[in-house]
Amino acid sequence: MIERRRSRATSIRTGVQAPRGVALGTGRSDATPIHGERMGQSVHTPISRLQLGLFGAAMAFAAACGGGTPAAPTTAPAKPAAASPAVASPGAAVSPAASPSPSPSPSPSPSPAAKPAGQPPASPAPVAAAPASGPPTRLGVLTPLSPPGDAAAGQLIVRGAELGAEYVNMRMGGILPNASCQLPGPIELIRGDDRGTPEQGIAGLRKMVQDDRVVAIMGQFHSSVSLAIQPIADQLQVPWISTQSSSADITNNRKEYTFQTHVITTDRAVSVADFVKANGFRRMAVVAENTDYGTGNVDSIKQALAGSGVDVRDWIFDRTTADISPLLLQVKAYNPDLIYNVAVGAPVYTMIKQANDTGLLPQTPMLVSYDLPIRPEYWQNLGDQGRGIIFVGYYHPQQPLSPAGTWMQTEYQRRFNEPALYSTFAAFGNVLQLAQAINLGCSTEGPSIVKAMETGPLTTWNQTGVSFPPAAGEDYHRVKQPLLLIQYAETNQDYGAAPIVYPPNLKTGDVRR
């Protein structure tokens, strides 16, 4: 019997309040609604080795994978100094303030119609045409804007959506392909707070469609909320895009009005499994929170490593507990050579800190399942304990962007004095995709938008020629994105300077153990 003990009190800076004081759970509880991926701030420092053409080679088969200075923590991102007059956000007041189909490929291929954007020049900026006119077109941004959801991620998504609306409203860069159609009219964003819970998500979607009269919705971050709203969206015939929720069931369910632009759980598992095998790890401890995100990733990584000779054992904990050290002592007794941290938000920090307290770290490498370490509060929370951590990423400051993505990157830096991150890029791209689909079909009716999304071609922040075909299984209505695995080699290292350790064709360094 392992005696329960409390690790020393720590102050964790995140976009949501750190969980406290709930008994440790060792069994699964898939009813827990909160899961997904958190996004924060990253760093934007050029890497000369990447500039030698590595990204160009990789983008031949896939598109996409964020970049600031580690100053203040990204709890709720601050409002810009001046609101953009081109974006109307008349929705309800909100409280202030995100995973991968098993195949042996090192990273998933893009959808057949999608093409990676070539690296655009820094200037000139996209030219604005005559601004949008006529009756407004309302789009919903349904995202977590208060706890228990990831409010920081939600605010980053809102920022990206606002910039997307501005880009479309100014008709920049010839973004709308059907010149004979005046739709969409000036885009108005209706913001809704799903709080990261299925109940609030369902209520928010119904209100947006029935009361606010939105014609499409984006912004979803937590997979449990995405899964809950799917049947309601089909019932109301309103298209919606999963901005950063990652359960494979979102597309596996084959719902007509659902579209996916984020990495899914099985994609992540294939990449992590390839990394584990390539680096000779033999005993992998998976420590996961008791949510759809956590348990889904456990099942996927076990499946991806089946028959590989790698011994995989998992431990499930209650994400609301403040003390997982008894469980980590069990992990230590197992003597793993790699720990897979499948938590979201504050529990990620809790696990890293208490793994150090129990002597698991720094001797044993730890892999974090998403890109939380790009946030500035990462180093503020962990200091030297953050060195050596490996993590999954979806965007790199040096990757090629479309002209629209380059405009957003530049404009975001100018307004907020920090680099744009994947959450913001993804939301920006979702607004562009919905606006183009409305324009192609010259209609705001749900069935017309669905048809245009399926056939395209659409341009987003990092791809051109995008479409969402009704493909089989988990590829239904989704555009694939590749993954990077990155390791912090030094304390306070800039995200853009940290070595990429996977995939092999993008590597800039080897794993440090």
Side-chain angles (χ1 to χ4, degrees):
M1 178 70 68
I2 298 176
E3 182 181 358
R4 183 182 180 87
R5 71 176 181 84
R6 181 73 58 183
S7 64
R8 66 174 180 267
T10 55
S11 174
I12 297 176
R13 302 182 183 182
T14 63
V16 293
Q17 185 176 357
R20 302 179 185 278
V22 178
L24 182 70
T26 57
R28 297 189 178 191
S29 175
D30 292 344
T32 306
I34 306 306
H35 75 273
E37 299 179 358
R38 313 292 208 260
M39 293 293 297
Q41 181 159 353
S42 67
V43 219
H44 192 177
T45 301
I47 300 180
S48 59
R49 296 183 67 179
L50 289 179
Q51 293 170 335
L52 296 179
L54 290 172
F55 268 105
M59 294 304 149
F61 66 91
C65 316
T69 29
T74 306
T75 51
K79 295 278 290 181
S84 167
V87 181
S89 301
V94 296
S95 302
S99 284
S101 81
S103 80
S105 59
S107 60
S109 301
S111 57
K115 299 177 183 178
Q119 181 64 58
S123 61
V127 177
S133 61
T137 299
R138 289 188 165 187
L139 301 181
V141 186
L142 184 60
T143 198
L145 293 166
S146 63
D150 189 335
Q155 286 289 2
L156 290 168
I157 287 170
V158 167
R159 284 182 176 183
E162 289 175 344
L163 286 166
E166 178 174 340
Y167 193 88
V168 172
N169 287 347
M170 296 303 293
R171 301 295 197 250
M172 291 185 177
I175 192 64
L176 300 181
N178 184 1
S180 64
C181 178
Q182 297 303 308
L183 291 176
I187 289 182
E188 293 182 357
L189 298 178
I190 306 298
R191 292 180 288 177
D193 181 9
D194 65 30
R195 301 190 63 208
T197 68
E199 298 79 11
Q200 290 293 323
I202 291 171
L205 184 140
R206 288 191 179 278
K207 178 183 180 300
M208 283 183 169
V209 177
Q210 296 172 335
D211 297 343
D212 299 319
R213 315 303 295 177
V214 304
V215 300
I217 291 171
M218 44 73 63
Q220 277 304 293
F221 183 82
H222 295 288
S223 293
S224 53
V225 183
S226 293
L227 292 168
I229 69 172
Q230 280 190 301
I232 312 303
D234 268 27
Q235 175 190 350
L236 298 175
Q237 294 190 321
V238 58
W240 71 279
I241 299 178
S242 164
T243 301
Q244 206 176 336
S245 53
S246 58
S247 170
D249 286 340
I250 294 170
T251 46
N252 252 332
N253 288 339
R254 296 182 62 83
K255 295 297 184 181
E256 182 179 2
Y257 288 83
T258 295
F259 297 88
Q260 174 65 283
T261 59
H262 186 49
V263 165
I264 62 173
T265 306
T266 43
D267 294 336
R268 182 191 318 276
V270 169
S271 295
V272 171
D274 286 350
F275 167 79
V276 168
K277 291 181 287 187
N279 285 276
F281 293 110
R282 307 301 297 173
R283 295 171 64 83
M284 183 178 186
V286 185
V287 186
E289 60 178 46
N290 60 338
T291 61
D292 291 336
Y293 176 79
T295 59
N297 274 283
V298 170
D299 293 340
S300 291
I301 192 62
K302 284 185 170 181
Q303 181 179 354
L305 286 170
S308 67
V310 178
D311 186 56
V312 182
R313 298 191 189 181
D314 65 281
W315 286 261
I316 309 297
F317 68 94
D318 185 337
R319 77 176 310 277
T320 61
T321 189
D323 183 13
I324 61 172
S325 55
L327 182 148
L328 292 175
L329 288 171
Q330 297 176 29
V331 174
K332 184 178 181 180
Y334 167 60
N335 192 30
D337 55 13
L338 179 67
I339 304 165
Y340 191 20
N341 181 334
V342 190
V344 177
V348 173
Y349 295 122
T350 299
M351 193 186 306
I352 294 173
K353 286 174 173 288
Q354 294 180 11
N356 275 276
D357 293 344
T358 55
L360 267 170
L361 298 182
Q363 291 82 358
T364 307
M366 179 178 283
L367 168 60
V368 174
S369 66
Y370 74 108
D371 60 351
L372 175 141
I374 69 176
R375 294 182 176 185
E377 72 265 17
Y378 175 83
W379 291 115
Q380 296 169 355
N381 281 328
L382 297 175
D384 287 342
Q385 292 182 346
R387 184 176 65 246
I389 296 295
I390 308 162
F391 60 95
V392 171
Y394 317 110
Y395 160 82
H396 195 278
Q398 300 304 310
Q399 81 174 81
L401 302 174
S402 69
T406 300
W407 176 87
M408 200 284 287
Q409 184 183 55
T410 303
E411 189 65 14
Y412 190 95
Q413 177 72 50
R414 184 186 71 81
R415 294 189 189 186
F416 300 102
N417 196 31
E418 62 185 40
L421 304 180
Y422 172 78
S423 294
T424 305
F425 278 114
F428 173 83
N430 289 168
V431 171
L432 267 57
Q433 289 164 325
L434 291 172
Q436 291 169 87
I438 292 169
N439 175 257
L440 282 169
C442 204
S443 172
T444 57
E445 295 298 317
S448 174
I449 297 173
V450 167
K451 181 178 179 180
M453 293 282 283
E454 288 181 340
T455 57
L458 310 172
T459 295
T460 183
W461 63 280
N462 65 338
Q463 298 180 41
T464 61
V466 170
S467 64
F468 296 80
E474 61 194 18
D475 288 336
Y476 182 84
H477 280 184
R478 83 171 177 121
V479 175
K480 298 180 182 179
Q481 305 281 2
L483 296 174
L484 299 175
L485 270 68
I486 300 159
Q487 184 177 33
Y488 281 132
E490 306 294 339
T491 302
N492 293 322
Q493 189 168 35
D494 287 350
Y495 167 50
I500 298 170
V501 296
Y502 177 90
N505 59 330
L506 295 181
K507 279 181 65 174
T508 60
D510 295 322
V511 175
R512 296 190 182 186
R513 309 194 189 197

